[in-house]
Amino acid sequence: MSQKKLIQTRVRNAIKVFSFDVDGTLVSHGFVDCVWLQGIPEAYAEKEGLSFEHAFECVKKEYDKIGENRIEWYKIDYWLRKFGLSITREELFRKYEGEIKIYEEVESVLRVLKEEGYLLVVSSNAATEFIDFQIHPIKKFFSRIFSATSDCGEVKKSNAFYARVCGILDVKPQEVIHIGDHWVFDFINPRKIGMNAYYLDRKSKRGRSVSVKNDEFVISDLSEILDK
Ligand SMILES: [Mg+2]
């Protein structure tokens, strides 16, 4: 056996957990975008008697004032209250349920990993309610769902967040493989604490990627993880 093969086998034997990001990794961004950029402005337009365009500008301005570095940004109930909207989160979610798109290969990959005895978890930046609603059909594969914003009060997936995940699961970072589509929050940060991470670049398959990143740890869809 070659040195490289030997190392790969050793790494594989040490792995106990597969961790997945959600938006852009398990599901496309369609649903989330519709809720924030269509549903909320639409409800606001109706309430204030504004055109959609005008309401969109107002809503966007308020989003920007808070910004993604504050925890409120991620909390839908905060925004419904702030804009004084009578539509509930459930109604809003149901309205765009049809926009949820779980990527094609996801279910079969999760099934294979699960059958091979790995523990599967979600490690996402999104609020728990967004995660639960979007991954509903594949939720059965996951043993735990970790939301940086809802569970840890963090706005980004930091190395501390990943350390906490390992602590709760009672595994070493080296025993976990995390996969996600954000270079820093899904690749650099988990690697900082010694997790194995793969960067998912779905665009690279269609030859549109301008990425110069280390190919060994870049995949273009989740099924590639089964070959690694
Ligand atoms: Mg993502």
Side-chain angles (χ1 to χ4, degrees), residues 2-228:
S2 74
Q3 189 75 12
K4 196 179 168 196
K5 262 260 152 24
L6 204 66
I7 292 168
Q8 278 177 343
T9 307
R10 248 183 235 153
V11 167
R12 192 165 51 227
N13 290 342
I15 299 302
K16 292 181 178 161
V17 179
F18 276 81
S19 157
F20 296 88
D21 168 55
V22 176
D23 292 314
T25 300
L26 300 178
V27 302
S28 73
H29 295 277
F31 171 78
V32 170
D33 287 350
C34 278
V35 169
W36 293 112
L37 304 176
Q38 208 173 307
I40 291 187
E42 223 167 72
Y44 189 67
E46 202 174 299
K47 182 198 161 218
E48 299 292 327
L50 304 170
S51 69
F52 176 82
E53 288 71 23
H54 190 178
F56 182 87
E57 287 311 316
C58 297
V59 165
K60 184 76 178 23
K61 210 165 100 193
E62 294 303 319
Y63 286 165
D64 291 343
K65 259 193 230 163
I66 293 290
E68 61 178 3
N69 291 321
R70 278 174 61 183
I71 199 85
E72 296 93 318
W73 168 274
Y74 302 86
K75 297 187 171 174
I76 186 110
D77 291 341
Y78 166 83
W79 292 103
L80 295 177
R81 233 179 303 124
K82 185 179 177 74
F83 294 124
L85 305 177
S86 56
I87 191 167
T88 64
R89 178 218 299 168
E90 290 78 12
E91 287 165 338
L92 197 53
F93 278 12
R94 239 174 288 126
K95 190 170 173 183
Y96 296 106
E97 201 170 0
E99 302 295 328
I100 297 174
K101 187 184 158 256
I102 296 173
Y103 289 110
E104 222 182 342
E105 83 284 8
V106 169
E107 186 164 350
S108 57
V109 171
L110 296 178
R111 177 161 293 123
V112 169
L113 293 174
K114 189 89 188 164
E115 279 169 7
E116 288 188 12
Y118 295 106
L119 190 80
L120 310 184
V121 302
V122 159
S123 304
S124 169
N125 203 26
T128 307
E129 56 266 25
F130 275 94
I131 303 172
D132 283 345
F133 195 75
Q134 291 188 93
I135 68 162
H136 187 72
I138 50 169
K139 212 179 159 189
K140 58 175 183 271
F141 294 107
F142 297 104
S143 307
R144 288 293 295 258
I145 292 177
F146 299 101
S147 158
T149 44
S150 301
D151 300 331
C152 304
E154 278 194 45
V155 293
K156 298 286 173 217
K157 292 184 284 191
S158 64
N159 35 342
F161 165 74
Y162 287 107
R164 202 158 158 179
V165 167
C166 292
I168 292 169
L169 296 173
D170 195 23
V171 292
K172 295 192 205 87
Q174 292 76 13
E175 295 171 325
V176 183
I177 289 184
H178 176 77
I179 305 148
D181 69 329
H182 194 289
W183 181 249
V184 175
F185 306 128
D186 292 308
F187 187 75
I188 301 291
N189 288 355
R191 281 198 173 260
K192 271 187 198 157
I193 63 156
M195 267 165 105
N196 300 280
Y198 286 91
Y199 171 64
L200 174 65
D201 182 6
R202 289 190 177 274
K203 288 194 290 297
S204 65
K205 200 164 208 174
R206 283 160 278 162
R208 284 201 275 123
S209 176
V210 285
S211 137
V212 284
K213 287 149 190 166
N214 190 344
D215 269 1
E216 201 186 334
F217 301 109
V218 179
I219 56 173
S220 64
D221 78 46
L222 294 184
S223 57
E224 285 174 36
I225 202 73
L226 302 176
D227 311 327
K228 293 276 180 187

